[in-house]
Amino acid sequence: MTDTYDVIVIGGGPAGYPAAIRAGQNGLTVACIDEWKNLDGSHAFGGTCLNAGCIPSKALLESSELLYRAREEFAVHGIKLAGIEFDVAQMQKRKAGIVKASTQGILALFKAAKVVGLPGHGRLLPGREVEYTDTAGKKAVLKAKHVVLASGSVPTPLRNAALNGREIIDSWGALELGSVPKRLGVIGAGVIGLELGSVWRRLGSEVVMLEALDSFLPMADQQVSKEALRAFKKQGIDIRLGAKVSGAVAKDGAVEVSYADAKGTQTLTVDRLVVAIGRRPQTLGLLADGTGVALDARGFIQVDQECRTGVENVWAVGDCVRGPMLAHKGKEEGVMVADLIAGHHGEVNYKTVPSVIYTAPEIAWVGETEEQVKAGGRPYKTGVFPFLASGRARAMEATQGFVKLIAAIDDDEILGVHIIGPLAGELIAEAVLAMEYSASSEDLQRTIHAHPTLSEALHEAALAADKKAIDFPNR
Ligand code: FAD
Ligand code: AMP
C-alpha cells in the first residue's frame, strides 16, 4: 500500500465503488476505503445496496413471487401442483449466495481497474489527507489529490421503538428472518416497507403497515398510487394510513405497538416489527474538525450540481448528498465525479432519474407526476393504456395496471411516464431514454415496437395522448 493516491474514495457502496473503478479506468491511482461489516463480522464491498438493500431484497422478492404464482396462478395455465412446500432456509441460502457473488465481484472489478481496496474506516482530515484505520485498528495517514466521500445512509431510528435484533428490527433484519412471522408489523409504507411487507405477506405473514401520512405513496402519480393501494389491499396487506406510531415495546416474543390515528390512540400486537421510516445520511466519524466540508440542516453533505463540496478537490456522492436515495443515482454521480477529476466531460441529468418499486404489480416512473405538471401550470395532455388491452400481458396473466404518459401541449415534450404493471422497472428504461433525448410523444408514436410485447403499452400510451391509440378506445 502506498500512502499517496490521485483519488481516495471513502465508502464502497454503489456510489463509491463505481467512482473508484471509473477513476482507475481513467488512469488515476485510486484507493477505496470501506468499513461495511456483515453479520458474521466479515468485510464486504458493495455497501447497503449489495449487502442489505437492493440485491437481497430483489432475491427474496423473486423467491416469494414464484411461490405466490405457483400457488395462485399456475392452475389457470393448467399446471396443477399438489402439496407445494417452501423452505425459508433455502431461500435465505440462495439470497446469501447472490449477495456473496455480487460483493466478491467487486474485488475482481477493482483488480481489473487497479483500484486498491482498503477495508476499514476512513476519516477526512484537513488538507485532503485521509486517516485510514484498518480492520485490526491500525491507523495510517494517506494523501490524495482528490477525495470522494461516498459514506451512504443508515436506517432512520424511531424514538421509543428501539431495535433489539429480535422482535423489533430494521430493513436489514427483515431481510434476514429465518422463519415466517405469523403477524408482521411494518412502520412506514414507503418503498422499502412495501417491498419487505410484500415478501413476508407472500410467504404467509399477516402484514399490517402503519403509515403516518394520510396519502399513499405521495411521491408517485396519484392515479398510480390509487391502483397500487387497491392491489396491495387485495393481496391482504392491511395498510393503515394516518397511523402515526409513537412507540413499541417487545415482551414475551411479541411487540405491542402504539399509534395514533383519527380515532385516537390505538395498539397493535405483532410477532415482529419492521421499522422502515426512511434513511438518513451517514457521516458519523467521517469528517475531522477543520475540513471545511459542510452539512445541511438534515445532515446531508452539501454539494453543488456536480457534487463538489466547496472544499477544493473534495467531492461527495450517493445517499450522503441531496437527491433521491437510489443506487443508480449514486452510481451516476460517482462516475461523473471520476470523469470530472480526470478532466473529461461528466454530468447527471437529475430530471431523468427513474424510480422503481419492485412489488407486484411493479411500479416505475420518470419525470413529473400529473400533480406536479398541473401545479407547474404548463398545459398538458395524458395518454393511458391499460395492460388489460395488451396481448402479451394477457398471455402472461399479468393484466393489472397501466402505462400513463404525460406530454406538454405546446411542443409535445414528454414530461413524465408512470407505469404500474408487469416488468414496469424494465419498461421505464425506454421512457428514460426518450426523455434523455428530449423526445416528443410523437417520437414514441413513430417508433416501431415489436408485437406482442409489453413495450407496446408505452407506444399505445403515447398514441393515446393524441387520441390515436389503436388497441384501446380513445377517451
Ligand atoms: P451505501 O450503499 O450505504 O454505501 C456506503 C458505504 O460506505 C457502506 O459500505 C458504509 O459502511 C461505508 N462507509 C460509511 N462511512 C464510512 C467511513 N467513514 N469509512 C469507510 N467506510 C464508510 N436503491 C435502488 O436504487 N434500488 C433498489 O431496489 C433499492 N432497494 C433497497 C432495498 C433496501 C432494503 C434498502 C435498505 C435500500 C434500497 N435501495 C435501493 C437504496 C440503496 O441501497 C441506496 O440508495 C444505495 O445503497 C446508496 O449507495 P451509497 O454508495 O451512497 O451508500
Ligand atoms: P421512505 O422514506 O420511502 O422509506 O418511507 C418511509 C415512510 O415512513 C414515510 O412514508 C413516512 O411517512 C413514514 N413514517 C415516518 N415516521 C413514521 C411513524 N412514526 N409512524 C408511521 N409512519 C411513519
Side-chain angles (χ1 to χ4, degrees):
M1 183 178 86
T2 96
D3 62 357
T4 305
Y5 296 90
D6 292 325
V7 183
I8 293 177
V9 181
I10 304 180
Y17 86 76
I21 288 172
R22 176 55 59 89
Q25 288 169 345
N26 285 337
L28 302 168
T29 57
V30 52
C32 180
I33 304 173
D34 181 86
E35 68 181 355
W36 184 273
K37 259 211 186 100
N38 277 314
L39 297 176
D40 64 2
S42 64
H43 174 266
F45 284 98
T48 307
C49 173
L50 270 64
N51 290 290
C54 322
I55 301 304
S57 60
K58 266 77 259 179
L60 291 184
L61 279 159
E62 189 65 28
S63 298
S64 59
E65 175 70 357
L66 286 177
L67 177 71
Y68 179 84
R69 296 195 64 195
R71 281 183 167 160
E72 305 293 328
E73 294 177 2
F74 279 17
V76 76
H77 293 269
I79 303 168
K80 293 181 188 158
L81 298 175
I84 298 172
E85 289 178 16
F86 72 96
D87 176 351
V88 178
Q90 171 55 28
M91 279 184 197
Q92 293 290 21
K93 194 171 151 203
R94 187 189 87 98
K95 180 205 75 185
I98 293 162
V99 167
K100 193 159 190 194
S102 307
T103 57
Q104 295 209 327
I106 295 180
L107 298 178
L109 296 172
F110 275 2
K111 199 167 170 209
K114 299 195 170 60
V115 174
V116 178
L118 299 176
H121 185 77
R123 190 163 75 113
L124 181 70
L125 307 174
R128 284 190 309 280
E129 291 190 335
V130 174
E131 180 188 77
Y132 167 54
T133 309
D134 72 13
T135 47
K138 194 164 154 255
K139 288 187 193 300
V141 174
L142 313 177
K143 293 182 189 20
K145 290 185 191 141
H146 293 263
V147 178
V148 182
L149 306 172
S151 52
S153 64
V154 288
T156 306
L158 180 62
R159 214 152 27 103
N160 301 328
L163 306 182
N164 66 5
R166 221 185 108 73
E167 291 90 357
I168 307 179
I169 52 182
D170 62 9
S171 55
W172 193 3
L175 289 167
E176 301 296 335
L177 289 173
S179 61
V180 182
K182 185 167 176 328
R183 299 165 301 180
L184 181 74
V186 181
I187 312 178
V191 177
I192 292 173
L194 282 168
E195 290 187 0
L196 294 171
S198 292
V199 165
W200 295 104
R201 172 69 199 137
R202 292 167 189 168
L203 297 179
S205 294
E206 295 159 18
V207 176
V208 179
M209 303 191 69
L210 301 170
E211 167 55 54
L213 300 175
D214 291 323
S215 56
F216 182 61
L217 291 179
M219 65 291 199
D221 187 278
Q222 286 308 288
Q223 201 175 339
V224 169
S225 304
K226 281 198 191 89
E227 178 87 0
L229 186 58
R230 251 198 315 270
F232 299 141
K233 285 193 166 168
K234 213 167 135 201
Q235 290 163 16
I237 302 178
D238 179 355
I239 299 174
R240 301 184 191 173
L241 299 175
K244 190 169 168 45
V245 174
S246 51
V249 182
K251 56 175 177 217
D252 307 329
V255 190
E256 196 154 286
V257 190
S258 311
Y259 66 96
D261 64 12
K263 292 191 198 121
T265 307
Q266 314 281 348
T267 55
L268 169 76
T269 306
V270 290
D271 301 303
R272 292 287 179 275
L273 179 69
V274 184
V275 180
I277 60 166
R279 298 180 63 80
R280 63 179 190 195
Q282 157 64 14
T283 52
L284 204 70
L286 177 70
L287 305 168
D289 287 345
T291 62
V293 173
L295 305 184
D296 70 14
R298 295 194 302 148
F300 290 94
I301 298 173
Q302 277 186 0
V303 287
D304 66 9
Q305 185 81 2
E306 291 180 328
C307 294
R308 291 182 167 87
T309 63
V311 176
E312 199 187 359
N313 293 353
V314 178
W315 313 70
V317 296
D319 278 13
C320 64
V321 304
R322 84 287 172 265
M325 286 184 161
L326 293 170
H328 44 281
K329 172 263 191 188
K331 179 181 186 184
E332 293 311 316
E333 288 179 335
V335 167
M336 167 181 73
V337 163
D339 281 341
L340 291 173
I341 288 172
H344 302 319
H345 176 75
E347 66 174 310
V348 173
N349 181 359
Y350 289 97
K351 287 190 179 155
T352 56
V353 178
S355 295
V356 183
I357 309 178
Y358 296 82
T359 45
E362 213 161 90
I363 299 167
W365 70 91
V366 58
E368 292 184 308
T369 61
E370 184 169 354
E371 293 72 34
Q372 288 167 331
V373 175
K374 196 181 269 175
R378 190 168 173 194
Y380 67 94
K381 54 191 176 181
T382 62
V384 175
F385 186 80
F387 283 107
L388 196 59
S390 153
R392 186 67 190 276
R394 281 200 298 266
M396 292 168 67
E397 286 293 328
T399 52
Q400 188 166 27
F402 55 83
V403 176
K404 173 176 178 177
L405 178 138
I406 307 167
I409 288 184
D410 47 19
D411 64 358
D412 198 30
E413 179 191 359
I414 299 170
L415 303 174
V417 173
H418 305 271
I419 308 178
I420 174 165
L423 296 175
E426 302 297 329
L427 295 177
I428 202 67
E430 181 184 354
V432 175
L433 190 67
M435 289 182 65
E436 185 63 39
Y437 287 179
S438 306
S440 62
S441 78
E442 187 185 348
D443 289 326
L444 273 190
Q445 291 170 12
R446 294 188 185 280
T447 302
I448 300 172
H449 290 71
H451 176 76
T453 58
L454 295 173
S455 70
E456 286 174 296
L458 178 55
H459 187 217
E460 288 280 331
L463 288 163
D466 285 332
K467 304 208 179 328
K468 289 180 183 168
I470 301 295
D471 290 331
F472 194 66
N474 293 290
R475 285 198 215 112

